[in-house]
Amino acid sequence: MSVKIGNNIDLGAFPLLLAPMEDVSDPPFRYVCKQNGVDMMYTEFISSEGLIRHAAKSKQKLDIFEYERPIGIQIFGSDIKSMEEATEIATLAKPDLIDINYGCPVKNVACRGAGASLLQDIDKMVAMTNAVVNATHLPVTVKTRLGWDDHTKNIYEVAERLQDIGIQALSIHGRTRSQMYKGSADWSLIKKVKKNPRIHIPIFGNGDVDSVEKAAAWRLEYEVDGIMIGRASIGYPWIFREIKHFFETGTYLDGPTIKERVDVCKTHFVKSIEWKGEKTGIFEMRRHYANYFKGIPNFKEYRMKLVSLDKVPDINEVLDEIAFQFADVTTDV
């Protein structure tokens, strides 16, 4: 049985999704994840207010490419009318779906009435979602959390009410807003939502999946329709191919060699410059180096070089040196 969103998005038997992550899941990063087998991706979340005011940063986040499909544009906001208008703008960018962020816990989002804040006002969340559904011909999906805090874990009600007004899939992060990213994700409530006989849309689990073992165990234990992976893919897009290989064969795939790490890092770097321009591309790539080469002993000197250089040939030279110097090193991530 394939997992389907709406009538036209077929994600296969058990899809792996790339979570939308601010300042991470931009087109260059999505490119290397797609190369490693991710089934569906989302843009970074985009402010509805930014879109309707034509803010350059918000508009740039609408950039999607044919090879990324299926891909969703994720929007967030606190005003229903603004979300409706932003949906119309996002639809013109021709994604495969529109996703609403009701999960972001950070202060400057949640404390302004957007993101996870809507978990405190389910009626408004339902009204906002209804407005988005009616503003586009595309499938609408939602990403959210278990609730605002331990006393208001209302995801069961949220799932039913949002499905009733037309969302086509729901991704659930197994933490409350008050937890932020601390503690362990609790997938037991995600399973409860999935097992609800009223729920017929796909339910995707998110939170703490950082290994082949967890993906395989939680697929069976929590019976979700697919898994969404975020932080574990940063600097390690190979996690998607490793999990898929295990699902298909029951055997473990060897981790990437140092040469593979360098090659993928270089690809990410090239795409970063192509999309953002040389100056910004070089600067924003700096946040990724430590993750690409995590676990390599005595790496600090090279990392310091990579984050200080500002010329493409110089950075490529250091990357080539890393491939040569650490050719025989194996790492466990």
Side-chain angles (χ1 to χ4, degrees):
M1 285 285 289
S2 277
V3 174
K4 291 188 175 179
I5 297 177
N7 296 321
N8 301 319
I9 304 173
D10 187 334
L11 298 178
F14 190 83
L16 301 179
L17 289 70
L18 174 66
M21 293 177 283
E22 176 69 349
D23 293 330
V24 177
S25 54
D26 57 12
F29 180 74
R30 297 198 303 261
Y31 182 87
V32 296
C33 288
K34 191 70 175 180
Q35 296 289 98
N36 281 280
V38 70
D39 294 297
M40 180 154 162
M41 305 186 291
Y42 302 83
T43 62
E44 301 169 80
F45 71 171
I46 306 174
S47 161
S48 57
E49 298 293 337
L51 276 187
I52 64 177
R53 292 174 185 158
H54 305 289
K57 187 176 180 185
S58 296
K59 297 287 275 189
Q60 189 187 32
K61 288 180 182 178
L62 291 173
D63 286 356
I64 54 177
F65 300 89
E66 283 303 309
Y67 63 78
E68 298 185 293
R69 298 190 185 279
I71 186 164
I73 288 176
Q74 190 188 70
I75 58 174
F76 74 99
S78 60
D79 180 77
I80 293 173
K81 186 66 181 168
S82 296
M83 285 289 282
E84 191 177 357
E85 290 179 40
T87 300
E88 293 169 358
I89 295 167
T91 300
L92 294 174
K94 299 184 178 176
D96 297 286
L97 60 85
I98 303 293
D99 188 76
I100 309 172
N101 181 309
Y102 293 136
C104 181
V106 300
K107 208 173 267 187
N108 67 354
V109 173
C111 292
R112 291 180 182 173
S117 175
L118 276 300
L119 287 162
Q120 298 177 102
D121 189 347
I122 306 306
D123 289 344
K124 183 178 178 182
M125 179 193 281
V126 170
M128 182 178 286
T129 306
N130 193 50
V132 170
V133 168
N134 290 329
T136 183
H137 67 282
L138 297 169
V140 173
T141 62
V142 163
K143 183 169 191 282
T144 189
R145 289 181 169 234
L146 301 178
W148 180 258
D149 57 28
D150 284 343
H151 306 293
T152 55
K153 290 183 179 177
N154 45 18
I155 187 60
Y156 199 80
E157 176 193 353
V158 165
E160 287 190 348
R161 292 185 67 183
L162 295 188
Q163 176 184 267
D164 288 349
I165 55 166
I167 72 163
Q168 301 290 312
L170 179 64
S171 300
I172 306 169
H173 182 102
R175 288 181 174 86
T176 62
R177 187 272 168 177
S178 62
Q179 279 182 275
M180 301 295 284
Y181 294 98
K182 294 172 185 167
S184 298
D186 174 11
W187 282 50
S188 59
L189 270 178
I190 304 176
K191 180 177 182 177
K192 188 180 176 188
V193 171
K194 175 59 194 169
K195 300 294 280 184
N196 179 352
R198 276 203 60 211
I199 295 294
H200 55 77
I201 59 173
I203 302 296
F204 302 121
N206 173 233
D208 292 354
V209 176
D210 56 10
S211 67
V212 170
E213 291 83 0
K214 271 190 193 171
W218 292 7
R219 175 184 185 178
L220 294 175
E221 185 175 353
Y222 299 111
E223 302 177 51
V224 290
D225 294 295
I227 289 173
M228 178 180 279
I229 296 173
R231 289 174 292 166
S233 66
I234 300 174
Y236 203 84
W238 302 278
I239 191 167
F240 298 107
R241 77 172 187 187
E242 290 175 9
I243 292 170
K244 287 190 132 182
H245 181 85
F246 186 84
F247 286 166
E248 289 163 10
T249 68
T251 62
Y252 290 96
L253 196 63
D254 289 338
T257 63
I258 297 299
K259 184 179 184 305
E260 281 182 283
R261 286 172 182 261
V262 169
D263 287 348
V264 172
C265 182
K266 276 187 171 182
T267 299
H268 191 164
F269 182 41
V270 167
K271 292 290 179 184
S272 187
I273 290 167
E274 283 177 2
W275 187 59
K276 301 171 186 177
E278 190 167 313
K279 186 178 178 182
T280 305
I282 287 171
F283 178 74
E284 294 194 356
M285 190 66 196
R286 289 173 180 172
R287 66 171 68 104
H288 293 284
Y289 295 126
N291 291 305
Y292 271 116
F293 302 111
K294 187 178 175 184
I296 297 178
N298 307 312
F299 189 74
K300 186 178 179 183
E301 174 194 342
Y302 292 94
R303 185 178 66 81
M304 296 307 290
K305 282 183 186 177
L306 288 170
V307 300
S308 62
L309 294 170
D310 58 7
K311 296 284 188 295
V312 173
D314 296 341
I315 293 166
N316 280 325
E317 192 176 312
V318 173
L319 290 169
D320 289 337
E321 192 179 338
I322 290 165
F324 177 76
Q325 290 292 344
F326 297 99
D328 299 324
V329 171
T330 56
T331 60
D332 293 316
V333 174

